Amino acid sequence: MAATHLADRRRNRRLAADAGLLAVAAAFVLPLAWVVLSALDPHADLRVKAPDGVTLENFDAILTSDITFTPLLNSLILCGGATLLTVVCAALAAYPLSRFSSRLNRPFLLSIVFATSLPITAIMVPVYALFVQVDLIDTLQGTILFFAASQLPFAIWLMKNFMDGVPKELEEAAWTDGAGSLQSLTRIVLPLMGPGVAVVTVFSFVMMWGNFFVPFMLLLTPDQMPASVSINEFFGNRGMVAYGQLAAFSIVYSTPVILLYVLIARRLGGGFALGGAVKG
């Protein structure tokens, strides 16, 4: 009798857990379903429903230079350049934190943690004033610099944790052969922590790709606006929204992020290829 009661309790718990997981899955699937179905629907609205008739008119309407191609190119320039700058600076900053002991390491890391918690809206006013003074307002390079600076604290934290997993003995062997610190970083440490570099790259790129507020504040010329800002054009006056075109643009807008993840998915799934390098 007790065994039957225990089995019933376990089954009820499992059913409750499954129901909770299904509810969470539905919360993610329904918005995606709306985007896909509305992009093919000539009469799309806010409801998740089967299309009245499958059409590609929404894609034809948005696949123009002004609406999609130029903003996407601006996004790739901004996010690609800022991601490259972030990864390089994070690697150079994380290396001494990981490899050398200092009394300043802990305060510096705590400062990084504090910097990651700062809301970006709280610093935009002084940043805007500074950019006006140094003539970086309404420039792609200025926006790239701010993107990189805003993502750098968390990127350093991640990079340092991944770098700690690479045995220092490998570098000591390279130092014995006459290699310098920069050579050991680029030829030994970074290749061995490839999955970690991939994680930092994807995280930084995704966070920048979806950022609306920063380019909206720092860029003034419409031709320089990235896709994260130009998507606002689909919300017309008096509450009129082109839902079908908005859904189609969302699919095109998401494609570069998906492709980036697919390209480095192997690196994300791989372990640190240390093998038996520290043996012998």
Side-chain angles (χ1 to χ4, degrees), residues 2-91:
T4 303
H5 180 66
L6 182 60
D8 291 339
R9 289 181 59 186
R10 289 178 177 175
R11 183 173 62 255
N12 292 336
R13 289 178 181 176
R14 185 168 62 251
L15 290 175
D18 292 341
L21 291 175
L22 288 174
V24 173
F28 284 93
V29 170
L30 286 178
L32 295 177
W34 180 87
V35 169
V36 175
L37 295 175
S38 297
L40 302 174
D41 192 347
H43 306 293
D45 53 30
L46 286 175
R47 295 175 298 170
V48 179
K49 61 183 180 66
D52 296 335
V54 177
T55 179
L56 296 178
E57 292 180 358
N58 293 322
F59 289 95
D60 291 337
I62 67 161
L63 291 179
T64 64
S65 177
D66 293 338
I67 297 177
T68 299
F69 298 131
T70 299
L72 279 180
L73 178 61
N74 292 336
S75 292
L76 290 173
I77 294 173
L78 285 173
C79 301
T83 299
L84 178 62
L85 184 61
T86 299
V87 172
V88 172
C89 292

Side-chain angles (χ1 to χ4, degrees), residues 75 78-80 82-83 86-87 115-120 143-144 146-155 158 198-216 226-229 253 256-258 260-261:
S75 292
L78 285 173
C79 301
T83 299
T86 299
V87 172
T116 59
S117 64
L118 287 175
I120 202 167
T143 308
I144 288 174
F146 184 74
F147 262 149
S150 62
Q151 293 300 321
L152 195 55
F154 195 66
L158 280 179
V199 168
V200 175
T201 300
V202 170
F203 177 83
S204 301
F205 187 86
V206 170
M207 294 299 293
M208 298 172 191
W209 187 261
N211 194 304
F212 168 85
F213 189 66
V214 170
F216 180 75
S228 59
V229 176
Y253 176 55
V257 176
I258 297 173
L260 175 64
Y261 178 79

